[in-house]
Amino acid sequence: MSTSASTPRRRGPRRSLTREALVDAALDLLDEAGWAGFSLRAVGNRLGVDPNTLYTYVADRAALEREVAERVLAETDPAALEDVATPWRDRVLRYAGRLRATLLRHPGAARLLTTAPMDGPTALLIGERLMDALAEAGLDADDAARASYALMVQVLGAVLLEVAETDGRHPLPSEPERIAARRAGFDTVDAGAWPRTAAASATMAAWISGEQFTWSLDRLLDGLVPCS
Amino acid sequence: MSTSASTPRRRGPRRSLTREALVDAALDLLDEAGWAGFSLRAVGNRLGVDPNTLYTYVADRAALEREVAERVLAETDPAALEDVATPWRDRVLRYAGRLRATLLRHPGAARLLTTAPMDGPTALLIGERLMDALAEAGLDADDAARASYALMVQVLGAVLLEVAETDGRHPLPSEPERIAARRAGFDTVDAGAWPRTAAASATMAAWISGEQFTWSLDRLLDGLVPCS
DNA sequence: ACCTGAACACCGTTCAAGT
DNA sequence: ACCTGAACACCGTTCAAGT
């Protein structure tokens, strides 16, 4: 795992390192090594550069983490929320699925959304577009704002809990594998003390599934739009 | 901040340190110093003991973190969900509020719920009791299981995003203070590019409020119980 | 402006040794 | 069984120095 200090991965004439390349390297490292393996020194090593060099491009580790979070959020392509040809509800559900899929491709980066306020430009864009969709659904300005947050909380909360059960390295075990592992965990629960848990263990094992994810969002959307 | 190594906080005859006292000290440290200030060495120092002593009581840092998470979850007093005298919906809303309040009292510990699977005894208890309440609401076993997870995701997601905007030290600034700080952040958004954000900035500043928390849960519950 | 080398004050974890 | 002391392989960050 640890490369000898005298042979960093890339050595040669000072290439013009850019801030973007730094963020890319940080995300790549996060994907490969997970949250536990992420450090400024390892990022520097990956770029063939002394760790303190990174301070030319970024104020500190926290600032780099914010940049990575912003980059991952941008990768979800929120422009998909602007396709007004598709009905608002499909638009929201489709984008939510994209957001989940993107974060699952970068499980080590997912928790960065919890490390700093989500106040970047992409978060702003997502909020505005969600409010567009919800206004189209008939909500007034206040309810649209509140509803958009409820949706983001449901999406991000689900992904964060899902990712918490992994080591944060890409690629994650397949969904069926992760469900099976959870199911094995439920085999030992005392059915006398926890009858509902024992009876619903298959459903509960699938709490981290895409099916549960969509089901929850559907129910939330049912509650958000006026009960017709 | 750093106490001299030769004068740890408590010195004397070897007191019988217990695992419970260790978890207490860890949680106290987390409250005082936040996530950033949490380390095994600092916990040891607080207990007047060498850091490696902790390994007598706990396998490693991750195990200690799981114990702290379990302890905080237990502090929410899930027995409140067993008061069948109050209607199921009030029971759920009241417990959700307690869970949020407890995590906000331990903001540094909140993120520990995202660090490891929530498969402890208290999580099991909460799930079972939520399913009790949802069965009372008329949901079948499968829907009750799914609905209980949707509720936990909404509650924990909201708290995690709320806590992400703080330094994780207890006590947090008051809710009005935190809302005001968020509001100031929205003052700089371009109303031309983001008209809905600009118009709803007061509501969006209050996304982290208890009012939004309850509103979201109410809407979710509306969607979870059959539209009568 | 960008990078290096060395240093500072930390980490988690291990191991042999003491009581 | 419990704790110490020393060590190992790491951290983030700073600073003076080189180009």
Side-chain angles (χ1 to χ4, degrees):
Chain A
M1 159 133 281
S2 64
T3 326
S4 157
S6 60
T7 59
R9 228 179 259 200
R10 176 142 65 93
R11 177 64 89 183
R14 308 139 190 54
R15 306 212 160 274
S16 60
L17 180 58
T18 65
R19 181 189 183 100
E20 203 181 329
L22 169 55
V23 176
D24 284 351
L27 182 54
D28 287 346
L29 173 64
L30 224 27
D31 289 343
E32 264 177 41
W35 175 258
F38 180 74
S39 75
L40 293 187
R41 296 176 107 106
V43 174
N45 188 33
R46 171 177 281 263
L47 290 166
V49 115
D50 270 21
N52 40 10
T53 297
L54 308 186
Y55 288 81
T56 305
Y57 301 92
V58 105
D60 54 16
R61 176 176 168 141
L64 177 56
E65 290 181 350
R66 278 196 298 277
E67 300 260 16
V68 173
E70 172 64 26
R71 195 194 171 294
V72 170
L73 221 48
E75 194 181 317
T76 63
D77 191 21
L81 276 170
E82 288 166 11
D83 173 26
V84 289
T86 68
W88 70 270
R89 189 163 174 141
D90 291 339
R91 235 151 70 215
V92 169
L93 284 172
R94 188 166 315 166
Y95 177 67
R98 268 160 108 82
L99 180 46
R100 173 171 177 263
T102 304
L103 291 175
L104 291 182
R105 270 201 312 275
H106 302 293
R111 84 154 63 179
L112 295 183
L113 301 178
T114 268
T115 268
M118 287 202 9
D119 54 5
T122 304
L124 210 60
L125 171 59
I126 295 170
E128 182 82 11
R129 291 293 162 258
L130 279 178
M131 288 190 280
D132 283 343
L134 292 162
E136 196 180 316
L139 300 195
D140 66 31
D142 259 24
D143 281 357
R146 283 196 258 255
S148 70
Y149 190 65
L151 287 167
M152 284 303 285
V153 163
Q154 186 70 35
V155 169
L156 295 178
V159 174
L160 288 169
L161 291 186
E162 181 173 357
V163 162
E165 307 204 359
T166 76
D167 65 3
R169 287 191 316 231
H170 177 85
L172 253 28
S174 75
E175 188 171 295
E177 282 175 300
R178 286 181 285 128
I179 291 172
R182 284 176 55 83
R183 180 144 205 187
F186 283 116
D187 281 349
T188 61
V189 310
D190 177 3
W194 316 112
R196 310 202 107 103
T197 302
S201 64
T203 305
M204 293 172 72
W207 272 351
I208 56 149
S209 68
E211 200 197 341
Q212 165 83 48
F213 177 83
T214 305
W215 186 93
S216 298
L217 273 182
D218 261 325
R219 296 291 73 72
L220 178 56
L221 286 166
D222 288 347
L224 289 173
V225 299
C227 206
S228 66
Chain B
M1 157 132 282
S2 65
T3 328
S4 158
S6 58
T7 57
R9 231 178 255 200
R10 176 143 63 91
R11 177 65 88 183
R14 307 145 188 51
R15 307 212 159 274
S16 61
L17 180 58
T18 66
R19 182 190 182 96
E20 204 180 327
L22 170 55
V23 176
D24 285 350
L27 182 53
D28 287 347
L29 173 64
L30 226 26
D31 288 343
E32 263 179 38
W35 174 258
F38 179 74
S39 75
L40 294 187
R41 296 177 107 107
V43 174
N45 188 35
R46 171 176 282 262
L47 290 166
V49 113
D50 269 21
N52 40 8
T53 297
L54 307 186
Y55 288 82
T56 304
Y57 302 93
V58 104
D60 54 14
R61 175 174 169 144
L64 177 56
E65 290 181 350
R66 278 195 298 275
E67 301 260 16
V68 173
E70 173 63 27
R71 195 193 172 297
V72 170
L73 221 46
E75 195 180 317
T76 63
D77 190 21
L81 277 169
E82 288 165 13
D83 172 27
V84 289
T86 68
W88 70 269
R89 188 163 175 139
D90 290 340
R91 234 151 72 216
V92 169
L93 284 172
R94 189 166 315 167
Y95 177 69
R98 268 160 107 82
L99 180 46
R100 172 171 178 263
T102 304
L103 291 176
L104 291 182
R105 269 199 313 276
H106 302 293
R111 82 155 64 181
L112 295 183
L113 301 178
T114 268
T115 266
M118 287 201 11
D119 53 6
T122 304
L124 211 59
L125 172 59
I126 295 170
E128 183 81 11
R129 293 293 161 257
L130 279 177
M131 287 189 281
D132 283 344
L134 292 162
E136 196 179 316
L139 298 196
D140 66 30
D142 259 24
D143 280 358
R146 283 196 257 255
S148 70
Y149 189 65
L151 287 167
M152 284 301 287
V153 163
Q154 185 71 35
V155 169
L156 296 178
V159 175
L160 289 169
L161 291 186
E162 180 172 0
V163 163
E165 308 204 357
T166 75
D167 64 5
R169 286 191 317 229
H170 178 85
L172 252 29
S174 75
E175 187 170 295
E177 282 175 300
R178 287 181 286 127
I179 291 172
R182 285 175 55 83
R183 181 142 206 188
F186 283 117
D187 281 350
T188 61
V189 310
D190 177 4
W194 315 114
R196 310 202 107 103
T197 302
S201 64
T203 305
M204 293 172 70
W207 271 351
I208 57 149
S209 69
E211 199 198 343
Q212 164 83 49
F213 178 82
T214 305
W215 186 92
S216 298
L217 273 182
D218 261 324
R219 295 291 74 72
L220 178 56
L221 285 166
D222 287 346
L224 289 174
V225 299
C227 204
S228 65

